[in-house]
Amino acid sequence: NCQTIHIAIIVENTRKMAILLKSILVFRDSPLHFHFIIHSTDQFVVETLLNTWELPSVKCSFYPMKNVSKMVSNLFKLTLPSILPLSVEKVIVLDSDVVVLSDVHKLWIFFDILKSL
């Protein structure tokens, strides 16, 4: 399947987020586009990590989380429609402390099934 799967991650902990990314990448078959909502101090760390992995069929976009304490950063999930580009019609939102144990494409398809009901 060549449909790009969009995944938004509110980055609160770069170490946990790295584990999440590895778990997604191990099982993935489809192209991915990660949308990181991130504090500017953490963006360099994530960019460096992703550049060293040299991942084919993976795109990344970064959206700054300015003047927001880490405690309320999860509220950004509610504002994703206004943060992400209009071209992103569907997105899987994951917390940075999640581990994925299967291909996210299965979840992507499941949302299509729910939409058709």
Side-chain angles (χ1 to χ4, degrees):
N1 186 6
C2 61
Q3 183 183 19
T4 299
I5 297 172
H6 293 269
I7 300 174
I9 301 171
I10 314 300
V11 180
E12 296 184 75
N13 181 311
T14 55
R15 288 184 188 169
K16 288 180 180 180
M17 188 268 330
I19 295 168
L20 166 62
L21 287 180
K22 287 179 184 180
S23 72
I24 292 170
L25 295 168
V26 163
F27 297 105
R28 68 124 179 180
D29 251 348
S30 302
L32 300 174
H33 188 144
F34 290 105
H35 301 270
F36 296 103
I37 294 80
I38 191 165
H39 290 278
S40 59
T41 53
D42 294 332
Q43 183 172 338
F44 177 75
V45 173
V46 174
E47 286 177 332
T48 303
L49 178 69
L50 292 168
N51 287 334
T52 59
W53 288 352
E54 298 179 9
L55 302 167
S57 302
V58 174
K59 294 181 182 177
C60 299
S61 298
F62 294 89
Y63 308 89
M65 207 178 342
K66 296 180 183 177
N67 303 323
V68 176
S69 73
K70 296 210 179 208
M71 195 168 90
V72 296
S73 62
N74 277 327
L75 295 175
F76 267 78
K77 292 176 193 170
L78 301 173
T79 63
L80 280 177
S82 65
I83 295 172
L84 298 177
L86 293 175
S87 61
V88 178
E89 297 177 6
K90 179 170 65 169
V91 64
I92 296 172
V93 181
L94 298 173
D95 289 332
S96 57
D97 61 351
V98 170
V99 175
V100 175
L101 299 175
S102 185
D103 189 350
V104 291
H105 185 255
K106 293 177 184 178
L107 183 58
W108 194 255
I109 290 172
F110 183 69
F111 288 137
D112 284 338
I113 294 168
L114 288 176
K115 187 177 179 182
S116 69
L117 294 177

